[in-house]
Amino acid sequence: MVGRVEPLPASREGGTRMGGEEVTRVQAPGKPKTVNINMGPQHPSTHGVLRLKVALNGEIVEDVECVLGYLHRGSEKLAEDGTYLQFIPYTDRMDYLAAMQNNMAYCLAVETVADIKVPEYANYLRVIAQEINRIASHQVWLGTWGIDLGALTMFFWCLRDREEALALLEQMCGARLTYSYMRFGGVKQDVPPGFRERALAWVRYMRPRIDEYESLLTKNDIFLLRTKGIGNLPKHRAIGYGVTGPMARGSGVDYDLRRDEPYCNYRAFDFDVPVRTDGDCYARYEVRVEEMRQSCDILEQALTRLPERGPYIAPEVGERAKQNRLKPPAGEVYTRVENPRGELGVLLVSDGSNKPYRVKVRPASLSNLQPLPEMVRGLKIPDLVATLGSTDITLGDVDR
Amino acid sequence: MSAPPAAAAAAAKPSGLTTPAPAPGSLAERFAQDATEHIEGPGTQKNHPQFVVKPSALPQALHIARRLGFDHLADLTAYDICPPGIIPLPPGAKEPTVVFGGAPRIEVVYNLFSYARKEHLSLKVKLGRDAPEVGSAVPEFPGADWLEREVWDLLGVRFAGHPNLKRLLLPDGWAGHPLRKDYDRAKEQFVSLDEQTGEDVVSFEEGRGW
C-alpha cells in the first residue's frame, strides 16, 4: 500500500517536459465533465483518516472539500470528567507524533492558572524531551512525504534514525509514543545514568544524517518538479487562515513561539528560526529540514549544560497524591507552545475544583489544513497529494 | 471607557477571575478606546487582557481589532456556564460549586494576536443558553470558518453570516451538542449510511444505539 510513483506532470505552463520532449494536451471532444471522487478516509497519502471530496475535471482538481471527524474521540468532554492529572494521557493521543509538546501545552496551561514554578533542571529535561520529539516528528513527516512523492528511500532512512530517538524518549519516560512525561511543575522522573552521553552521541550522529536526507531530495530534479511552485500559500492568506508553525514560516511569517514567546527555558538557547518566503511545498520542506538542524543545536546546548542533578519536579506539587488532588484557583488562561506543526494552544477554565471546567485544545493541524482547497485548486491529482503531505497534519490533532 | 477596566472590576470579583489591565500604549489599550461603545466590561482571562463585548457588536469589535493590527485569530472557542440544578447529577453525587456566578450562559472566546506588535487580546461574548447566536468572524478572519463550525457542532452556538454552518466533527444529524454541560451522554445515537449520497445519517432510535 505504498504510494505509487505518479508519472511526471507536464510542465505547468504546457510546452516541454524535461528532456525537451514536446507535450500537447489532448482535449476530449465535448464539454469537460466534472467527476466527484472520494479520497480517503482510508487512503495512504491522507496520513490518517481524512476524507477529501475531490471534484475533478480530467486530472485537474477543481475543488476539494475536507470531511473531518473520523478520529474524533471527544477528548475535551473526557477532560471534564477526570482530575487535572488524569487528562495528561489523553493529550498524548491527540497529536500522537508530538506527544511531548501536547503534554507540555496542557501542563503549561495548568501551571499558569495554578501559579506553579518549574525548577530549572526540570525545564532542561522538558526542552530535551521536546526537541528529540520534534526531530522524530519531522522524520516521520519527511519519510511519509517521501513515499507520497515516490522517494521510498527517504522513509527507510528517516525511520531508521528515528528508532534511536524513540529509544532515548523511552529511557526518559518508559514509552515510545504516548509519553505522559510532563507533570504539573516538572516531569515524571529523572533521566537514567548515561542518558546524556547517549543523547549527545545521537545528536552527533543525526547532523550528517540530515545532510544525507538532503542529498536525496534537495537538488533532485524530480523532487523539484513535484514541489517547486506547487501548493502556493501567500503570506497574507496564511495569516488570515491562522496557519502557524513551519507552514507559516514557509510563507514568510517570521514567528516561532520558542523564540518570541519563550516558555520552559527556551530563552537560554541560541538557535535560528528558518524562514522562506516562497510559500510552496519546497519552502515548507526547506524550513522543516533546517528546523531539524536547529533542534540538534538546541539539544547539544541543553545536554551539555544540563546540571548534574536537581529537582525534576517542583517540591510543593511533587508527590503523586498532590498532583492528583491539584485544585487550581478559578480562572481562565490561554497558553500556547510550538508544536512541530505550529501553535498548540490550550484554553483552560478552572472553577476551583479538582476537575477542569473546560479544556479547549487549539490544534495547529486544523488551521493548517483549512487553506488546502485554496492551495490545490487548478493543480493535478499528484500535486494534491504533494500539497497535503507538505502541510504535515496529524488527524488525531485535527479531530481530537 | 476611561478608567482601566480590569482594576474597576477587581474589587467586585473573586481573585483569579480578573484580567490584566492593558499596558499603557499597547494595542489592547487602543482597542479599549476605539471600541468603547461595544465593550461591556473586563473579561476573566488571567494571562492576557480580555474584554467582554456586546453580542450585537461583535463583528464591529473584531473589525476594529483587526484594523489595529490583531491579524492572527489564534483560537475561537466557547464554554457553557450552567449553574447547579440544570445538570442532572448521578445519584449520591455532591452538588458542584460554580464560582462563575450570574445567569446560565455560553461564553464565546476569541483569542487574537498581533504578529507585528507581539501582543495578545482576548474578546468574549456572553450569550443565553437557549438558541445562542452571534455574528460570524469569517468576513474578518477566513480561518474562523472551521472554528465556528466546531463551536456550532459541540456547543450549539449559531454564527450569523457564516457561509456554511454545518457540523465539523460529528455526523450531520447528531442530536444535541456534546460540550454542553447538560448533554445526556447515555442517550443512544443511531448512525446509518444514506443510500443516495453515502453520507452518514444519525437519528435517535430507541433501543438501536451503536
Side-chain angles (χ1 to χ4, degrees), chain A residues 280-355:
Chain A
D280 55 3
C281 292
Y282 188 73
R284 296 192 268 278
Y285 159 78
E286 282 189 312
V287 167
R288 288 202 185 93
V289 169
E290 187 54 35
E291 257 182 31
M292 285 161 76
R293 291 206 180 90
Q294 298 303 327
S295 288
C296 286
D297 283 0
I298 298 175
L299 270 175
E300 198 153 27
Q301 294 172 46
L303 286 162
T304 8
R305 282 195 240 145
L306 178 70
E308 211 41 63
R309 131 189 329 272
Y312 57 84
I313 192 160
E316 67 270 19
V317 287
E319 292 157 36
R320 187 181 162 158
K322 281 186 189 161
Q323 291 268 323
N324 213 9
R325 285 194 211 118
L326 186 78
K327 276 189 187 179
E332 175 192 318
V333 290
Y334 179 71
T335 57
R336 46 191 202 161
V337 304
E338 185 79 25
N339 164 286
R341 278 148 265 284
E343 169 185 343
L344 181 70
V346 172
L347 180 108
L348 183 82
V349 182
S350 160
D351 64 350
S353 74
N354 63 349
K355 293 175 181 175

Side-chain angles (χ1 to χ4, degrees), chain B residues 81-137:
Chain B
I81 290 184
C82 179
I86 296 185
I87 311 168
L89 288 172
K94 224 170 66 184
E95 194 77 352
T97 49
V98 171
V99 294
F100 303 110
R105 61 190 182 275
I106 302 249
E107 298 192 347
V108 187
V109 184
Y110 299 78
N111 287 310
L112 301 167
F113 179 72
S114 161
Y115 276 117
R117 297 276 300 262
K118 301 189 169 62
E119 268 186 49
H120 286 269
L121 172 74
S122 179
L123 305 181
K124 178 183 266 187
V125 288
K126 297 183 176 178
L127 310 168
R129 288 186 86 246
D130 306 322
E133 182 163 326
V134 69
S136 172

Side-chain angles (χ1 to χ4, degrees), chain A residues 53 65 69 77 80-81 112-113 115 240 255 261 330-332 334 336 343 357-358 360 362 370 400, chain B residues 16 45-48 50 72 74 77-80 113 120 124 143 145-146 150 169 178 180-181 185 199:
Chain A
K53 287 195 219 168
E65 187 193 340
K77 186 74 176 169
E80 296 169 12
D81 287 347
T112 311
V113 77
D115 283 324
Y255 203 78
E261 212 177 288
E332 175 192 318
Y334 179 71
R336 46 191 202 161
E343 169 185 343
Y357 191 78
R358 169 90 164 97
K360 154 78 200 224
R362 180 259 192 231
Q370 211 173 338
R400 285 152 286 141
Chain B
Q45 198 164 93
K46 191 179 167 185
N47 54 348
H48 305 305
Q50 188 183 51
H72 175 52
T77 187
Y79 55 96
D80 182 14
F113 179 72
H120 286 269
K124 178 183 266 187
D145 185 340
W146 285 7
E150 186 184 326
L169 297 174
R180 292 278 186 115
K181 290 282 174 185
R185 62 182 95 172
E199 303 283 326

Side-chain angles (χ1 to χ4, degrees), chain A residues 256-277:
Chain A
D256 187 317
L257 293 168
R258 292 174 293 167
R259 181 194 66 190
D260 299 312
E261 212 177 288
Y263 50 98
C264 294
N265 58 349
Y266 273 112
R267 200 176 265 116
F269 302 108
D270 178 28
F271 62 100
D272 292 333
V273 176
V275 177
R276 299 289 182 277
T277 49

